[in-house]
Coordinates of all heavy atoms in Angstrom, one line a residue:
M1 N -23.1 9.5 -59.1 CA -21.8 10.2 -59.2 C -20.7 9.2 -58.7 O -20.8 8.7 -57.6 CB -21.8 11.4 -58.4 CG -20.4 12.1 -58.4 SD -20.4 13.5 -57.3 CE -20.9 14.8 -58.3
Q2 N -19.7 9.0 -59.6 CA -18.6 8.2 -59.2 C -17.4 9.0 -58.8 O -17.2 10.1 -59.3 CB -18.2 7.3 -60.4 CG -19.3 6.3 -60.8 CD -18.7 5.4 -61.9 OE1 -17.7 5.7 -62.5 NE2 -19.5 4.3 -62.2
M3 N -16.8 8.5 -57.8 CA -15.6 9.2 -57.3 C -14.4 8.7 -58.0 O -14.3 7.5 -58.3 CB -15.4 9.0 -55.8 CG -16.5 9.6 -55.0 SD -16.3 9.3 -53.2 CE -14.9 10.4 -52.9
R4 N -13.5 9.6 -58.3 CA -12.2 9.2 -59.0 C -11.1 10.0 -58.4 O -11.3 11.1 -57.9 CB -12.3 9.3 -60.5 CG -12.4 10.7 -61.0 CD -12.4 10.8 -62.5 NE -12.5 12.1 -63.0 CZ -11.5 13.0 -63.1 NH1 -10.3 12.6 -62.8 NH2 -11.7 14.2 -63.6
Q5 N -9.9 9.5 -58.5 CA -8.8 10.3 -58.0 C -8.4 11.3 -59.0 O -8.3 11.1 -60.2 CB -7.6 9.3 -57.8 CG -6.5 9.9 -57.0 CD -5.5 8.8 -56.6 OE1 -5.4 7.8 -57.2 NE2 -4.6 9.2 -55.6
M6 N -8.1 12.5 -58.5 CA -7.8 13.6 -59.4 C -6.3 13.5 -59.9 O -5.5 13.0 -59.1 CB -8.0 15.0 -58.7 CG -9.4 15.3 -58.4 SD -9.6 16.8 -57.4 CE -9.3 18.0 -58.7
Q7 N -6.1 14.0 -61.1 CA -4.7 13.9 -61.6 C -4.0 15.2 -61.1 O -4.5 16.1 -60.5 CB -4.8 13.9 -63.1 CG -5.4 12.7 -63.7 CD -5.4 12.7 -65.2 OE1 -5.0 13.6 -65.8 NE2 -6.0 11.6 -65.7
K8 N -2.7 15.2 -61.2 CA -1.8 16.2 -60.7 C -2.2 17.6 -61.3 O -2.2 18.6 -60.6 CB -0.3 15.9 -61.0 CG 0.6 16.8 -60.3 CD 2.0 16.3 -60.4 CE 2.9 17.3 -59.6 NZ 4.3 16.8 -59.6
E9 N -2.5 17.6 -62.6 CA -2.8 18.9 -63.2 C -4.1 19.5 -62.6 O -4.3 20.7 -62.4 CB -3.0 18.7 -64.7 CG -1.7 18.3 -65.5 CD -1.4 16.9 -65.4 OE1 -2.4 16.1 -65.2 OE2 -0.3 16.5 -65.6
E10 N -5.1 18.6 -62.4 CA -6.4 19.0 -61.8 C -6.2 19.5 -60.4 O -6.8 20.5 -60.0 CB -7.4 17.8 -61.8 CG -7.8 17.4 -63.2 CD -8.7 16.2 -63.2 OE1 -8.4 15.3 -62.4 OE2 -9.7 16.2 -63.9
L11 N -5.3 18.9 -59.6 CA -5.0 19.3 -58.2 C -4.4 20.7 -58.2 O -4.7 21.5 -57.3 CB -4.1 18.3 -57.5 CG -4.8 17.0 -57.2 CD1 -3.8 16.0 -56.6 CD2 -5.9 17.2 -56.1
E12 N -3.5 20.9 -59.2 CA -2.8 22.2 -59.2 C -3.8 23.4 -59.6 O -3.6 24.5 -59.2 CB -1.7 22.2 -60.2 CG -0.5 21.3 -59.7 CD 0.6 21.2 -60.8 OE1 0.4 21.6 -61.9 OE2 1.6 20.5 -60.4
N13 N -4.9 23.1 -60.3 CA -5.8 24.1 -60.7 C -6.9 24.4 -59.6 O -7.6 25.3 -59.7 CB -6.5 23.7 -62.0 CG -5.6 23.8 -63.2 OD1 -4.7 24.5 -63.2 ND2 -5.9 22.9 -64.2
C14 N -6.9 23.6 -58.6 CA -7.9 23.8 -57.5 C -7.4 25.0 -56.6 O -6.3 25.1 -56.2 CB -8.0 22.6 -56.6 SG -8.9 21.2 -57.3
V15 N -8.3 25.9 -56.4 CA -8.0 27.1 -55.6 C -9.0 27.1 -54.4 O -10.2 27.0 -54.6 CB -8.3 28.4 -56.5 CG1 -7.9 29.6 -55.6 CG2 -7.4 28.4 -57.7
V16 N -8.4 27.2 -53.3 CA -9.3 27.2 -52.1 C -9.3 28.6 -51.5 O -8.4 29.5 -51.7 CB -8.7 26.3 -51.0 CG1 -8.8 24.8 -51.5 CG2 -7.3 26.6 -50.6
G17 N -10.3 28.9 -50.7 CA -10.4 30.2 -50.0 C -11.5 31.1 -50.5 O -11.7 32.1 -49.9
E18 N -12.2 30.8 -51.6 CA -13.2 31.7 -52.1 C -14.4 31.8 -51.2 O -14.9 32.8 -51.0 CB -13.6 31.3 -53.5 CG -12.6 31.5 -54.6 CD -11.9 30.2 -54.9 OE1 -12.1 29.2 -54.2 OE2 -11.0 30.2 -55.8
A19 N -14.8 30.6 -50.6 CA -16.0 30.6 -49.8 C -15.8 31.5 -48.5 O -16.7 32.2 -48.1 CB -16.3 29.2 -49.4
I20 N -14.6 31.3 -47.9 CA -14.4 32.1 -46.6 C -14.2 33.6 -46.9 O -14.7 34.4 -46.2 CB -13.2 31.5 -45.8 CG1 -13.3 32.1 -44.4 CG2 -11.9 31.8 -46.5 CD1 -12.5 31.3 -43.4
T21 N -13.7 33.9 -48.1 CA -13.5 35.3 -48.5 C -14.9 35.9 -48.7 O -15.2 37.0 -48.3 CB -12.7 35.4 -49.7 OG1 -11.4 34.8 -49.5 CG2 -12.5 36.8 -50.1
L22 N -15.7 35.2 -49.5 CA -17.1 35.7 -49.7 C -17.9 35.8 -48.5 O -18.6 36.8 -48.3 CB -17.8 34.7 -50.7 CG -19.2 35.1 -51.1 CD1 -19.2 36.5 -51.8 CD2 -19.8 34.0 -52.0
A23 N -17.8 34.9 -47.6 CA -18.5 35.0 -46.3 C -18.0 36.2 -45.5 O -18.8 36.9 -44.8 CB -18.3 33.7 -45.5
A24 N -16.7 36.4 -45.5 CA -16.2 37.6 -44.7 C -16.7 38.9 -45.3 O -17.0 39.8 -44.6 CB -14.7 37.5 -44.7
V25 N -16.7 39.0 -46.6 CA -17.2 40.2 -47.3 C -18.6 40.4 -47.0 O -19.1 41.5 -46.7 CB -16.9 40.2 -48.8 CG1 -17.6 41.3 -49.5 CG2 -15.4 40.2 -49.0
M26 N -19.4 39.4 -47.0 CA -20.9 39.5 -46.8 C -21.1 39.9 -45.3 O -22.0 40.7 -45.0 CB -21.6 38.2 -47.1 CG -21.7 37.9 -48.6 SD -22.4 36.4 -49.0 CE -24.0 36.5 -48.3
A27 N -20.3 39.4 -44.4 CA -20.5 39.7 -43.0 C -20.1 41.2 -42.7 O -20.8 41.9 -42.0 CB -19.6 38.8 -42.1
V28 N -19.1 41.7 -43.4 CA -18.7 43.1 -43.2 C -19.8 44.0 -43.8 O -20.2 45.0 -43.2 CB -17.3 43.4 -43.9 CG1 -17.1 44.8 -44.0 CG2 -16.2 42.7 -43.1
V29 N -20.4 43.6 -44.9 CA -21.4 44.4 -45.6 C -22.7 44.4 -44.7 O -23.3 45.5 -44.5 CB -21.8 43.9 -47.0 CG1 -23.0 44.5 -47.5 CG2 -20.6 44.2 -47.9
A30 N -23.0 43.3 -44.1 CA -24.2 43.2 -43.2 C -24.0 44.1 -42.0 O -24.9 44.8 -41.6 CB -24.5 41.7 -42.8
I31 N -22.8 44.0 -41.4 CA -22.5 44.9 -40.2 C -22.6 46.3 -40.6 O -23.1 47.2 -39.8 CB -21.2 44.5 -39.6 CG1 -21.3 43.1 -39.0 CG2 -20.7 45.5 -38.6 CD1 -19.9 42.5 -38.6
A32 N -22.0 46.7 -41.8 CA -22.1 48.1 -42.2 C -23.5 48.6 -42.4 O -23.9 49.7 -42.0 CB -21.3 48.3 -43.5
V33 N -24.3 47.8 -43.0 CA -25.7 48.2 -43.2 C -26.5 48.3 -41.9 O -27.2 49.3 -41.7 CB -26.5 47.1 -44.1 CG1 -28.0 47.3 -44.1 CG2 -25.9 47.2 -45.5
M34 N -26.3 47.4 -41.0 CA -26.9 47.5 -39.7 C -26.4 48.7 -38.9 O -27.1 49.4 -38.2 CB -26.6 46.2 -38.8 CG -27.4 45.1 -39.3 SD -29.2 45.4 -39.4 CE -29.6 45.6 -37.7
A35 N -25.1 49.1 -39.0 CA -24.6 50.2 -38.4 C -25.2 51.5 -38.9 O -25.6 52.4 -38.1 CB -23.1 50.3 -38.5
V36 N -25.4 51.6 -40.2 CA -26.1 52.8 -40.8 C -27.5 52.9 -40.3 O -28.0 53.9 -40.0 CB -26.0 52.7 -42.3 CG1 -26.9 53.8 -43.0 CG2 -24.5 52.9 -42.8
V37 N -28.2 51.7 -40.3 CA -29.6 51.7 -39.9 C -29.7 52.2 -38.4 O -30.6 53.1 -38.1 CB -30.3 50.3 -40.1 CG1 -31.6 50.2 -39.3 CG2 -30.4 50.0 -41.5
V38 N -28.9 51.7 -37.5 CA -28.9 52.0 -36.1 C -28.5 53.5 -36.0 O -29.2 54.2 -35.2 CB -28.0 51.1 -35.3 CG1 -27.8 51.7 -33.9 CG2 -28.6 49.7 -35.3
Y39 N -27.6 54.0 -36.7 CA -27.1 55.4 -36.6 C -28.3 56.3 -37.0 O -28.6 57.3 -36.3 CB -25.9 55.6 -37.6 CG -25.4 57.0 -37.6 CD1 -24.7 57.6 -36.6 CD2 -25.7 57.8 -38.8 CE1 -24.2 58.9 -36.7 CE2 -25.3 59.1 -38.8 CZ -24.5 59.6 -37.8 OH -24.1 60.9 -37.9
K40 N -28.9 56.0 -38.1 CA -30.0 56.8 -38.6 C -31.2 56.8 -37.6 O -31.9 57.7 -37.4 CB -30.5 56.4 -40.0 CG -29.5 56.7 -41.1 CD -29.5 58.1 -41.4 CE -28.6 58.4 -42.6 NZ -28.6 59.8 -42.9
L41 N -31.5 55.6 -37.1 CA -32.6 55.4 -36.2 C -32.4 56.2 -34.9 O -33.3 56.9 -34.4 CB -32.7 53.9 -35.9 CG -34.0 53.5 -35.1 CD1 -35.2 53.8 -35.9 CD2 -33.9 52.0 -34.7
F42 N -31.2 56.2 -34.3 CA -31.0 56.9 -33.1 C -30.8 58.4 -33.2 O -30.9 59.1 -32.2 CB -29.9 56.2 -32.3 CG -30.3 54.9 -31.6 CD1 -29.8 53.7 -32.1 CD2 -31.1 54.9 -30.6 CE1 -30.1 52.5 -31.5 CE2 -31.5 53.8 -30.0 CZ -31.0 52.6 -30.4
L43 N -30.4 58.8 -34.4 CA -30.3 60.3 -34.6 C -31.5 61.0 -35.0 O -31.6 62.2 -35.2 CB -29.1 60.5 -35.6 CG -27.7 60.3 -35.0 CD1 -26.7 60.7 -36.0 CD2 -27.5 61.1 -33.7
S44 N -32.6 60.2 -35.3 CA -33.8 60.8 -35.7 C -34.5 61.5 -34.5 O -34.4 61.0 -33.4 CB -34.8 59.8 -36.4 OG -35.2 58.9 -35.4
S45 N -35.2 62.6 -34.8 CA -35.9 63.3 -33.7 C -37.1 62.6 -33.2 O -37.6 62.8 -32.1 CB -36.2 64.7 -34.1 OG -37.1 64.7 -35.2
K46 N -37.8 61.8 -34.1 CA -39.0 61.1 -33.7 C -38.7 59.6 -33.8 O -39.3 58.9 -34.6 CB -40.1 61.4 -34.7 CG -40.5 62.9 -34.7 CD -41.6 63.2 -35.7 CE -41.9 64.6 -35.7 NZ -42.9 64.9 -36.8
G47 N -37.8 59.2 -33.0 CA -37.3 57.8 -33.0 C -38.3 56.8 -32.4 O -38.7 57.1 -31.3
S48 N -38.6 55.8 -33.0 CA -39.3 54.7 -32.5 C -39.0 53.4 -33.2 O -38.7 53.5 -34.4 CB -40.8 55.0 -32.5 OG -41.3 55.0 -33.8
A49 N -39.2 52.3 -32.6 CA -39.0 51.0 -33.2 C -40.0 50.0 -32.6 O -40.3 50.0 -31.5 CB -37.6 50.5 -32.9
A50 N -40.5 49.1 -33.5 CA -41.4 48.1 -33.1 C -40.8 46.7 -33.5 O -40.4 46.5 -34.6 CB -42.7 48.3 -33.7
V51 N -40.7 45.9 -32.5 CA -40.1 44.5 -32.7 C -41.3 43.5 -32.7 O -42.2 43.7 -31.9 CB -39.1 44.2 -31.6 CG1 -38.5 42.9 -31.8 CG2 -38.0 45.3 -31.6
P52 N -41.2 42.5 -33.5 CA -42.3 41.5 -33.5 C -42.4 40.9 -32.1 O -41.5 40.7 -31.4 CB -41.8 40.4 -34.4 CG -40.9 41.2 -35.4 CD -40.3 42.2 -34.6
G53 N -43.7 40.7 -31.6 CA -44.0 40.2 -30.3 C -44.5 41.3 -29.4 O -44.8 41.1 -28.2
G54 N -44.8 42.5 -30.0 CA -45.4 43.6 -29.2 C -44.4 44.5 -28.5 O -44.9 45.4 -27.8
W55 N -43.2 44.4 -28.7 CA -42.2 45.3 -28.0 C -42.1 46.6 -28.8 O -42.0 46.5 -30.0 CB -40.8 44.6 -28.0 CG -40.8 43.4 -27.1 CD1 -41.1 42.2 -27.4 CD2 -40.3 43.4 -25.7 NE1 -40.9 41.4 -26.3 CE2 -40.4 42.1 -25.3 CE3 -39.9 44.4 -24.9 CZ2 -40.1 41.8 -24.0 CZ3 -39.5 44.1 -23.6 CH2 -39.6 42.8 -23.1
K56 N -42.3 47.7 -28.2 CA -42.2 49.0 -28.8 C -41.3 49.9 -28.0 O -41.4 49.9 -26.8 CB -43.6 49.6 -28.9 CG -44.5 48.9 -29.9 CD -45.8 49.6 -30.0 CE -46.7 48.8 -30.9 NZ -48.0 49.4 -31.1
F57 N -40.4 50.6 -28.7 CA -39.5 51.5 -28.1 C -39.7 52.9 -28.7 O -39.8 53.0 -29.9 CB -38.0 51.0 -28.3 CG -37.7 49.7 -27.8 CD1 -37.8 48.6 -28.6 CD2 -37.5 49.5 -26.4 CE1 -37.5 47.3 -28.2 CE2 -37.2 48.2 -26.0 CZ -37.2 47.1 -26.8
S58 N -39.6 53.9 -27.9 CA -39.8 55.3 -28.4 C -38.9 56.2 -27.6 O -38.9 56.1 -26.4 CB -41.3 55.7 -28.3 OG -41.4 57.0 -28.8
W59 N -38.3 57.1 -28.3 CA -37.5 58.1 -27.6 C -37.7 59.5 -28.1 O -36.9 60.4 -28.2 CB -36.0 57.8 -27.7 CG -35.4 57.6 -29.1 CD1 -34.9 58.5 -29.9 CD2 -35.4 56.4 -29.8 NE1 -34.6 57.9 -31.1 CE2 -34.9 56.6 -31.0 CE3 -35.9 55.1 -29.5 CZ2 -34.7 55.6 -32.0 CZ3 -35.7 54.1 -30.4 CH2 -35.1 54.4 -31.7
A60 N -39.0 59.7 -28.6 CA -39.4 61.0 -29.1 C -39.8 61.9 -27.9 O -40.1 61.5 -26.8 CB -40.7 60.8 -30.0
D61 N -39.7 63.2 -28.2 CA -40.0 64.2 -27.2 C -41.5 64.3 -27.0 O -42.3 64.1 -27.8 CB -39.5 65.6 -27.6 CG -37.9 65.6 -27.5 OD1 -37.4 64.8 -26.7 OD2 -37.3 66.3 -28.2

């Protein structure tokens, strides 16, 4: 791949900011999904969770 200097028209067509916008949207979606999972997990009457490594949590009656 050879590098060359961009012309003025090419520079004007470059749009920046898509990557950070996409990353921000993905982060918000991931946080929302985790919030729903935690909400459902802690409001269940037979709540328990197992984490790799042998850790187990239970808050069932």
Side-chain angles (χ1 to χ4, degrees):
M1 174 186 271
Q2 292 183 350
M3 296 180 69
R4 66 175 179 85
Q5 193 171 16
M6 294 176 73
Q7 296 179 1
K8 189 171 182 173
E9 295 84 23
E10 292 174 321
L11 288 172
E12 290 174 355
N13 288 333
C14 287
V15 180
V16 295
E18 290 96 357
I20 194 159
T21 303
L22 181 61
V25 168
M26 288 176 61
V28 168
V29 168
I31 291 169
V33 167
M34 288 305 296
V36 169
V37 168
V38 169
Y39 176 77
K40 292 286 186 179
L41 188 65
F42 283 111
L43 286 185
S44 66
S45 60
K46 298 178 184 176
S48 65
V51 181
W55 293 83
K56 293 183 181 179
F57 303 97
S58 178
W59 54 91
D61 291 333

